[in-house]
């Protein structure tokens, strides 16, 4: 069964409209609120990630306001463009088969790509630029036109400017140029080297920022992997595989694995296209598996594997897989709809441990309103928080005119103003941080409050009465909604 362009484009348009609607209705997650702060304090880079997510958040907020819809605006639009590029890539690699449309459909059927693109995280621009760079690389191969290396360099640089894992894309290109006999001639073409230089130039702000900050971000990301030398490695591996079965959805995960297995077999028979797809997918997959032997691999990290894996699944799996492709897309989009409906309307009264949408998204608006009411009743002049996500959520939700103070060492790296050294305030601290004393000295306990959605508790917080003083702690004033 093949897909034709017109129905496919209509389906993509409807899916994009659904994502934009979900972006409007879903409350922002703590990490999204944190990236909104980034967008209001633009810098060459940041402790956690490169700056692309901040640029997207700032641009979206400028167009759509300091709202959940504004900070997410570019995500669904970018993912729609990436879907078109994946379709064009697949149709170019497997002409006449409609494989590109199926590859894009499978990719949009994964929760990582479909529901994940509603939220604004570094993975969203990473996947968009990853798909675009992969498309440019395929144009080099199909057209044998070295000018496409320049486009690849810029797009790969933008992917690196989104997240450090984009380095796997450059690694795959180098391996392909070395392994594939028909590609080695590019080493003699100056445009290949110019593409690499352009990628480095696009990424250079991150290098400049790291050089100015003792390479703190690169050191953090480079030090994530480790070997604990205990049986926990089996648990981490199980979490990784189980997480991918869920986030890719089971059928699409199996299709992707089967497609890459076929691609690897064909690569052994000197198939340049199969070699390309295998090299984009297999090395990072092996790195993630190795890392899981010593530390936890977050479920979103392997998202970069799926564009090429979906291309292989659509292009190499024969007619007997057609039914599985259809049901994989149906199941994936159905699960996406269930997740979005639960996150927006919460029809199922699930507890926190069974509902990640409750834990991350639930009840922020009402919670902030309650905090503001308590602040006023205590005549506090500001609200403060130690957790960066909580502080960012409060800054995004509290009324304009209510100062929000964040404290912690990470804020040293932001160009944000320090608060004045006087005034009484209200410190909000999650009970999940345990019984340890707050960072804020002389914090006087002042009760508890819960964040809830439809009466189901998402998280509980302790309140403290605090005062500002010159005690050496890093404190910054977070931006307010415009």
């Amino acid at each position: 069964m093949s897909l034709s362009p017109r129905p496919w484009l209509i389906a993509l348009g409807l899916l994009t409209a659904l994502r934009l609607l979900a972006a409007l209705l879903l409350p922002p997650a703590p990490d999204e609120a944190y990236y909104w702060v980034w967008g209001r304090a633009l810098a060459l880079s940041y402790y956690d990630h490169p700056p692309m997510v901040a640029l997207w958040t700032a641009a979206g907020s400028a167009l759509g306001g300091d709202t959940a819809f504004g900070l997410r605006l570019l995500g669904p639009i970018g993912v729609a463009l990436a879907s078109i590029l994946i379709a064009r890539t697949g149709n170019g690699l497997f002409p006449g088969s409609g494989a590109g449309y199926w590859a894009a459909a499978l990719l949009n059927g994964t929760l990582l790509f479909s529901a994940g693109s509603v939220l604004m995280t570094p993975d969203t621009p990473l996947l968009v630029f990853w798909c675009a760079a992969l498309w440019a690389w395929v144009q080099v191969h199909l057209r044998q036109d070295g000018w496409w290396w320049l486009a690849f360099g810029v797009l790969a640089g933008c992917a690196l400017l989104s997240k450090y894992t984009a380095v796997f894309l450059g690694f795959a290109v180098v391996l392909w140029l070395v392994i594939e006999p028909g590609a080695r001639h590019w080493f003699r073409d100056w445009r290949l080297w110019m593409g690499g230089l352009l990628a480095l130039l696009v990424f250079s702000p991150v290098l400049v920022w790291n050089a100015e900050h003792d390479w703190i971000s690169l050191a953090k990301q480079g030090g994530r992997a480790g070997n604990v030398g205990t049986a926990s490695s089996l648990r981490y591996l199980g979490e990784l595989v189980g997480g991918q079965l869920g986030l890719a959805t089971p059928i699409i995960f199996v299709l992707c694995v089967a497609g890459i297995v076929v691609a690897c077999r064909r690569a052994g028979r000197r198939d340049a296209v199969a070699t390309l797809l295998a090299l984009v997918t297999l090395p990072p997959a092996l790195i993630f598996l190795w890392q899981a032997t010593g530390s936890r691999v977050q479920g979103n990290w392997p998202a970069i594997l799926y564009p090429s894996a979906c291309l292989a699944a659509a292009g190499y799996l024969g007619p007997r897989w057609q039914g599985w492709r259809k049901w994989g897309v149906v199941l994936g989009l159905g699960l996406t709809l269930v997740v979005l409906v639960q996150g927006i309307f919460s029809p199922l009264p699930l507890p926190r441990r069974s509902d990640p949408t409750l834990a991350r998204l639930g009840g922020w608006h009402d919670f902030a309103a309650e905090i503001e009411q308590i602040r006023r009743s205590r005549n506090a002049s500001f609200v403060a928080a130690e957790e960066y996500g909580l502080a960012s959520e409060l800054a995004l939700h509290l009324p304009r005119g209510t100062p929000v103070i964040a404290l912690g060492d990470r804020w040293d790296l932001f160009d944000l103003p320090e608060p004045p050294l006087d005034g009484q305030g209200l410190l909000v601290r999650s009970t999940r941080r345990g019984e340890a004393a707050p960072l804020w000295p002389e914090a006087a306990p002042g009760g508890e409050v819960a964040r809830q959605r439809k009466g189901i508790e998402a998280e509980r917080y302790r309140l403290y009465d605090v005062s500002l003083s010159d005690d050496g702690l890093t404190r910054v004033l977070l931006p307010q909604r415009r």
Side-chain angles (χ1 to χ4, degrees), residues 312-452:
Y316 289 130
L317 299 183
R320 65 193 180 109
W321 294 90
Q322 287 181 354
W324 288 106
R325 289 190 308 201
K326 180 184 71 173
W327 287 112
V329 173
V330 170
L331 175 63
L333 294 179
L335 290 174
T336 296
L337 186 61
V338 168
V339 170
L340 294 179
V341 168
Q342 180 66 13
I344 297 168
F345 302 109
S346 55
L348 301 176
L350 300 175
R352 175 192 170 101
R353 65 178 179 276
S354 304
D355 187 356
T357 71
L358 172 64
R360 303 298 293 169
L361 306 174
W364 284 110
H365 177 76
D366 292 339
F367 173 70
E370 186 173 1
I371 293 295
E372 175 64 10
Q373 184 178 8
I374 295 172
R375 181 193 73 83
R376 289 177 179 273
S377 69
R378 298 187 184 184
N379 201 29
S381 60
F382 63 86
V383 175
E386 297 174 356
E387 301 101 318
Y388 67 86
L390 173 59
S392 302
E393 286 278 9
L394 291 170
L396 186 58
H397 284 91
L398 286 173
R400 180 171 175 80
T402 299
V404 175
I405 295 176
L407 64 155
D409 292 340
R410 76 170 56 231
W411 298 106
D412 266 338
L413 305 173
F414 285 78
D415 185 18
L416 289 168
E418 296 181 2
L421 293 178
D422 59 1
Q424 303 294 314
L426 180 68
L427 175 67
V428 185
R429 192 172 191 266
S430 173
T431 58
R432 295 173 66 84
R433 293 177 71 87
E435 299 296 331
L439 297 176
W440 203 299
E442 301 181 7
E448 292 188 1
V449 64
R451 174 169 58 90
Q452 303 177 70

Side-chain angles (χ1 to χ4, degrees), residues 269-282:
R269 300 195 293 269
R270 297 298 185 183
D271 183 323
V273 171
T275 303
L276 187 156
L277 295 177
L279 290 176
V280 177
T281 313
L282 197 57

Side-chain angles (χ1 to χ4, degrees), residues 182-239:
R184 292 173 190 159
H185 68 93
W186 292 117
F187 281 121
R188 301 189 298 272
D189 193 315
W190 66 271
R191 292 169 295 186
L192 167 68
W193 303 99
M194 180 57 70
L197 179 60
L198 286 173
L200 183 61
L201 286 174
V202 172
F203 184 63
S204 62
V206 178
L207 299 177
V208 171
W209 186 91
N210 271 275
E212 293 174 347
H213 295 85
D214 298 322
W215 307 100
I216 186 171
S217 180
L218 291 173
K220 175 194 175 185
Q221 299 299 335
R224 284 185 180 270
N227 190 347
V228 296
T230 69
S232 64
S233 61
L234 295 178
R235 183 178 78 245
Y236 293 144
L237 282 169
E239 286 180 1

